[in-house]
Amino acid sequence: MTKIFETPLYPYARHPDQDAATPPRHKVVILGAGPVGLAAAIDLAQRGVPVVVLDENDRVSSGSRAICFAKRTLEILDRLGCGDVAVDKGVTWNKGRVFFDERDIFQFNLLPEEGHHRPAFINLQQYYLEQFLVERVQALAAEGKPIEIRGRNRVEAIGRHSDHVRLEIETPEGPYELQAEWLIACDGANSPTRRMMGLDFVGRVFEDNFLIADVVMKADFPTERWFWFDPPFNRGQSALLHRQPDNVWRIDLQLGWDIDRQAEKQPDRVIPRLKAMLGEDVEFELEWVSIYTFQCRRMAKFRHGRVIFAGDAAHQVSPFGARGANSGIQDTDNLCWKLALVLEGGASERLLDSYDWERVYGADENIMNSTRATEFITPKSEISRVFRNAVLDLAARHDFARPLVNSGRLSIPCIYDDGPLNTDDDADLPMRARSGAPLPDAPLGDDWLLGALGSGFTLLAIDTPCPETLRMAGLDVTVLRLCAQDNPDLAARYLGDHPSAIYLVRPDHHVAARWTRFDAAAVEGALQRSIAMPQGGQNV
């Protein structure tokens, strides 16, 4: 049977731009049709911003690659029109287990409370997510939205100017040129854009290698994340097991540093390792094999004039913790509403500087957690290994030691504490919904809070008077009035011990400011700050 990643989904087709006498200019060009680039394109197109995606390939990625998509990412996919199809295809999980040697030392639940639309995680091969995103792009184009993907269009050179970026593009029928008012580089860890601009990463590369094997087999393991320290089948190293759709299982095996990477990917090396783990009698076939090295690095800044970097092109972390694709999609969620507002004239380019601040902050948080996980998983000294093993022994018997076990702190959304767009924060209200935090979901009858929000700014008025409509700082603000009296989840997450609250919510569903009652001047001031407008002033 032909696999989805073997089929061109956006094959090369000659475009009129290739025959233009002068290079055509586009509002936004995105380089890279992976999950991050496609998410950015969909977000912009849904906001009415014309966007062109260029990719040197014409099909989705081979191999499962990123497989763990977190609750926050699923909520973003809901807004992009892909949430249901991803969850329906994916394998839902909230629980995980940690093993040490042959002992099952403890388990954890990443979403123990009720009242959320989406689970903590789904497992879904990256090629399926890319397929769903490509199909969403094609559906939007069929509806007349200003979006297109050009396959087998490889950018060879970039020229930066004050009001545009010039692109030299190679195709099967020869070269042509384009101009972009804004260029978003989502072209992966080995980003050609970054190389052509003479930019690099700062950070660490860890001296270790891990084997990834996608194995097709029928097995009755539960749908949980299983992680082993020092298992008998990979002594002195670590291992990870995840279920994926279609009877595919992801297995990660730590190999060490001094190896022959090409040799270790060959079936005669891989299959014996898998049989040692699964048993000699288990029938399976290999679908995809890769070897990776931990890297915890990022660019010094993500915005360079009219070129903006997102995803792996901007930052890299170890895959334990599922922070790669999840953080990349959060990059675009942060960026696209800001860029759209700038292009519409509703904000100055100053707003885009907040993208750099907030997502560098998020990258640093991911790198910190990823580095700590790597150091715990792969201790580089005997004393570090003794400490790690003592923690694991204690965790088997004592709850207090379990938070010290680090098999990869799993992806959670970044809270932009002290962010440049935050304003007031009332300490009487719950900490989890403070300024800079992503809005926690809550049930609203048969619907969900996050699904009730629009694509722009929203004012939540919970059990307090508020105008029915608002227009401030040149923007229309959606007003959503809610009652928490018969909704304990909403009350706990938004009111705490206070009887009422007002929340100003950004288009990316992060809290901009909050109060215990409505004050028009305070709301307008917070809205101005949220779009980087000088207080009391106007954007220029």
Side-chain angles (χ1 to χ4, degrees):
M1 184 177 70
T2 301
K3 300 283 188 180
I4 185 64
F5 51 77
E6 297 171 348
T7 305
L9 294 186
Y10 44 97
Y12 170 78
R14 190 172 185 85
H15 192 278
D17 283 357
Q18 294 170 247
D19 301 312
T22 58
R25 181 172 293 194
H26 293 269
K27 288 286 184 184
V28 179
V29 173
I30 295 173
L31 303 187
V36 176
L38 293 170
I42 293 167
D43 195 334
L44 289 168
Q46 289 184 159
R47 297 178 186 280
V49 176
V51 60
V52 177
V53 181
L54 304 178
D55 196 284
E56 61 180 289
N57 208 335
D58 60 4
R59 63 198 70 191
V60 298
S61 300
S62 61
S64 62
R65 301 180 186 270
I67 65 164
C68 298
F69 296 99
K71 179 176 183 289
R72 173 65 174 161
T73 299
L74 300 178
E75 291 163 352
I76 295 170
L77 291 175
D78 281 337
R79 283 182 270 135
L80 300 180
C82 302
D84 284 343
V85 67
V87 172
D88 289 346
K89 180 64 177 178
V91 173
T92 293
W93 65 277
N94 293 324
K95 295 181 179 180
R97 290 181 181 270
V98 176
F99 301 85
F100 181 32
D101 196 347
E102 296 184 89
R103 291 179 291 159
D104 181 352
I105 58 174
F106 72 92
Q107 60 181 296
F108 57 86
N109 188 339
L110 295 169
L111 191 62
E113 68 177 7
E114 299 295 327
H116 292 268
H117 181 39
R118 294 308 186 191
F121 276 92
I122 65 166
N123 287 350
L124 180 71
Q125 294 92 319
Q126 181 173 317
Y127 52 76
Y128 279 129
L129 179 60
E130 290 182 10
Q131 175 193 354
F132 301 150
L133 291 166
V134 168
E135 290 170 351
R136 178 62 176 157
V137 167
Q138 294 167 340
L140 288 171
E143 295 170 10
K145 295 292 186 182
I147 187 171
E148 59 173 305
I149 309 179
R150 300 184 190 177
R152 301 183 68 189
N153 275 238
R154 185 178 68 250
V155 175
E156 296 282 0
I158 294 173
R160 291 188 290 158
H161 303 270
S162 61
D163 64 343
H164 72 280
V165 181
R166 180 180 57 81
L167 305 174
E168 297 179 13
I169 304 163
E170 187 60 52
T171 76
E173 295 182 312
Y176 74 108
E177 292 188 13
L178 283 183
Q179 294 179 1
E181 290 186 22
W182 294 92
L183 180 70
I184 306 176
C186 306
D187 47 354
N190 298 314
S191 171
T193 307
R194 200 176 60 239
R195 173 178 48 78
M196 286 185 278
M197 292 176 60
L199 302 171
D200 203 355
F201 283 134
V202 294
R204 296 174 62 185
V205 177
F206 289 84
E207 293 186 357
D208 220 323
N209 292 290
F210 288 78
L211 171 75
I212 291 179
D214 278 356
V215 175
V216 181
M217 65 177 180
K218 293 184 179 180
D220 58 0
F221 303 121
T223 305
E224 299 173 342
R225 178 191 194 257
W226 283 9
F227 191 97
W228 287 265
F229 292 96
D230 194 19
F233 55 82
N234 196 31
R235 186 59 76 192
Q237 309 284 7
S238 63
L240 179 67
L241 177 70
H242 269 294
R243 181 195 292 269
Q244 303 176 66
D246 305 335
N247 291 320
V248 177
W249 294 80
R250 158 68 64 80
I251 297 172
D252 289 49
L253 295 173
Q254 184 182 357
L255 299 181
W257 180 242
D258 190 17
I259 65 169
D260 183 332
R261 292 167 64 96
Q262 289 305 314
E264 291 293 348
K265 289 194 294 185
Q266 301 309 309
D268 65 331
R269 297 278 188 96
V270 176
I271 289 173
R273 291 184 183 278
L274 297 179
K275 285 187 173 182
M277 177 182 184
L278 301 170
E280 288 289 337
D281 298 331
V282 175
E283 295 183 1
F284 62 84
E285 62 179 271
L286 296 176
E287 180 173 271
W288 180 66
V289 174
S290 182
I291 289 179
Y292 63 87
T293 299
F294 279 175
Q295 300 187 41
C296 295
R297 308 189 297 167
R298 67 165 173 85
M299 300 176 69
K301 61 178 184 176
F302 298 170
R303 181 190 172 201
H304 294 261
R306 289 181 172 262
V307 181
I308 303 172
F309 290 82
D312 285 352
H315 46 77
Q316 294 178 347
V317 292
S318 67
F320 289 127
R323 295 175 179 275
N326 286 296
S327 63
I329 290 174
Q330 289 173 50
D331 287 346
T332 66
D333 192 48
N334 184 291
L335 171 63
C336 289
W337 71 268
K338 297 174 180 177
L339 182 56
L341 201 58
V342 170
L343 286 167
E344 293 165 2
S348 72
E349 291 182 23
R350 186 185 307 111
L351 180 59
L352 297 176
D353 293 333
S354 71
Y355 166 77
D356 192 83
W357 190 99
E358 291 179 336
R359 294 315 298 161
V360 165
Y361 182 88
D364 284 345
E365 182 178 276
N366 282 328
I367 287 170
M368 177 189 69
N369 282 297
S370 188
T371 299
R372 288 175 177 174
T374 303
E375 290 172 339
F376 192 86
I377 293 168
T378 63
K380 293 300 184 284
S381 69
E382 185 57 27
I383 191 64
S384 295
R385 186 175 296 277
V386 168
F387 170 78
R388 194 274 307 273
N389 291 350
V391 168
L392 293 170
D393 279 328
L394 287 168
R397 304 186 303 273
H398 303 289
D399 290 345
F400 82 86
R402 291 170 185 172
L404 299 176
V405 175
N406 195 335
S407 62
R409 296 277 187 252
L410 284 151
S411 176
I412 58 173
C414 180
I415 297 174
Y416 305 128
D417 286 316
D418 301 319
L421 306 186
N422 298 355
T423 312
D424 303 317
D425 191 79
D426 195 309
D428 289 340
L429 298 171
M431 186 70 170
R432 67 190 294 183
R434 65 189 183 272
S435 293
L439 211 64
D441 203 4
L444 297 180
D446 294 331
D447 295 317
W448 299 93
L449 174 58
L450 296 184
L453 303 179
S455 60
F457 281 89
T458 302
L459 197 74
L460 297 184
I462 306 174
D463 294 327
T464 189
C466 179
E468 293 186 5
T469 60
L470 280 179
R471 181 170 177 81
M472 293 177 168
L475 300 175
D476 291 316
V477 179
T478 300
V479 177
L480 184 60
R481 295 195 286 185
L482 302 173
C483 176
Q485 292 177 8
D486 297 316
N487 190 332
D489 293 313
L490 185 67
R493 293 165 199 176
Y494 288 92
L495 298 182
D497 294 329
H498 206 276
S500 63
I502 294 283
Y503 283 79
L504 179 63
V505 184
R506 300 176 358 176
D508 58 1
H509 294 181
H510 279 257
V511 177
R514 60 184 187 166
W515 309 266
T516 55
R517 62 181 181 83
F518 178 76
D519 181 302
V523 172
E524 183 160 22
L527 185 59
Q528 288 174 341
R529 180 156 182 162
S530 296
I531 60 174
M533 178 187 292
Q535 295 295 293
Q538 302 213 351
N539 279 311
V540 293

